[in-house]
Amino acid sequence: MIEVRNLHKIYGRGSVATHALKGIDLVVSPGEFVAVMGRSGSGKSTLLHILGLLDAPTSGEYLIEDRNMLMLTESEKSRFRLEKLGYVFQEFSLLPEMTILENVYVPALCLSEDKNHKKRAIELLEIVGLGDRLKHHPGEVSGGEQQRAAIARALINRPKILFADEPTASLDITSARTVLELFSRLNNELGQTIIMVTHEPDDARYVDRVVWLKDGLVEKTHKT
């Protein structure tokens, strides 16, 4: 599904240039749950942002289902993100003035005028265990519940790939475990492809494979 070849990312120029990625090679198969790990500054989030089309590399190749992502125009990237990719971040980024249900189906409104978006949003909220929180606002639920709502929102357009950037970093241990178990269930039962950046070694037990980065390169990769 994903193929990355010799991916580089340099921030700045000249003597102040920072080489964040130094030639990443990576392949992710359909239905795989991959964790990207490494110390702070190893390039984890930089790689995830490039894979999620939120940033562009300095050089290299990046393909999704044999389509060259680096040849897309900005409008094509926006459309591709909306149709094919889902995102879950450390910050829940829910709109406080909207209900949980409304937050979940907003991305569907941007994609089409399909009137079934509310029904799908309710189904997703049931899946993530928030069927009784539809009319609540983000400020009226816990951090763990907000993150589960964010996961439902990320799935509303049936993305091919779900990206998660340290999705449990702001959560307590119990809520973090609930979120990881939810990711595992989505992967096992629905075949959802997931790429997750995390700094917690214990998270490895939920995934299929761990890719370790060090100084902008893949140091090692192993199945769990």
Side-chain angles (χ1 to χ4, degrees):
M1 177 167 285
I2 285 179
E3 187 171 1
V4 170
R5 304 169 188 154
N6 197 29
L7 204 68
H8 290 256
K9 179 63 178 182
I10 301 173
Y11 294 102
R13 296 182 179 180
S15 61
V16 296
T18 299
H19 209 144
L21 300 179
K22 301 176 182 178
I24 297 285
D25 293 312
L26 180 66
V27 174
V28 178
S29 300
E32 196 173 12
F33 187 179
V34 175
V36 180
M37 295 186 176
R39 292 184 177 181
S40 178
S42 62
K44 303 186 302 297
S45 291
T46 298
L47 176 61
L48 195 78
H49 288 174
I50 291 174
L51 296 180
L53 301 182
L54 301 174
D55 197 0
T58 303
S59 62
E61 295 181 85
Y62 175 29
L63 294 86
I64 295 180
E65 296 181 329
D66 296 322
R67 186 176 182 184
N68 190 340
M69 295 293 101
L70 305 185
M71 297 299 291
L72 301 182
T73 65
E74 289 305 314
S75 61
E76 287 172 337
K77 284 181 182 178
S78 295
R79 187 72 180 182
F80 193 92
R81 284 193 295 263
L82 195 59
E83 292 180 343
K84 306 293 185 180
L85 310 179
Y87 306 89
V88 180
F89 300 106
Q90 181 178 339
E91 303 82 12
F92 319 128
S93 302
L94 299 176
L95 300 173
E97 67 275 12
M98 291 186 173
T99 64
I100 294 297
L101 176 60
E102 291 167 339
N103 267 282
V104 170
Y105 69 65
V106 160
L109 297 177
C110 301
L111 189 60
S112 72
E113 297 181 359
D114 184 354
K115 301 303 182 182
N116 292 322
H117 55 264
K118 284 188 180 180
K119 179 182 178 182
R120 174 158 173 76
I122 292 171
E123 291 172 351
L124 286 169
L125 285 167
E126 291 283 355
I127 289 173
V128 302
L130 294 176
D132 59 345
R133 295 289 192 268
L134 304 182
K135 296 183 179 180
H136 287 66
H137 287 78
E140 298 172 331
V141 301
S142 69
E145 288 172 326
Q146 289 187 60
Q147 191 62 300
R148 282 186 277 151
I151 293 169
R153 179 185 57 190
L155 296 171
I156 190 67
N157 287 334
R158 297 179 175 85
K160 292 276 188 179
I161 308 163
L162 182 64
F163 295 102
D165 193 358
E166 302 209 24
T168 63
S170 299
L171 304 179
D172 60 70
I173 293 175
T174 301
S175 296
R177 186 182 301 115
T178 299
V179 166
L180 289 167
E181 288 173 351
L182 174 59
F183 277 140
S184 182
R185 185 156 58 90
L186 290 170
N187 174 251
N188 292 327
E189 296 179 9
L190 303 181
Q192 179 67 58
T193 304
I194 304 173
I195 302 176
M196 176 180 70
V197 162
T198 178
H199 63 277
E200 294 290 344
D202 288 346
D203 293 354
R205 62 194 178 98
Y206 293 94
V207 307
D208 300 317
R209 181 163 57 105
V210 177
V211 176
W212 290 89
L213 298 190
K214 182 179 181 180
D215 296 330
L217 287 167
V218 174
E219 180 184 27
K220 58 184 177 181
T221 179
H222 65 85
K223 292 186 178 296
T224 58

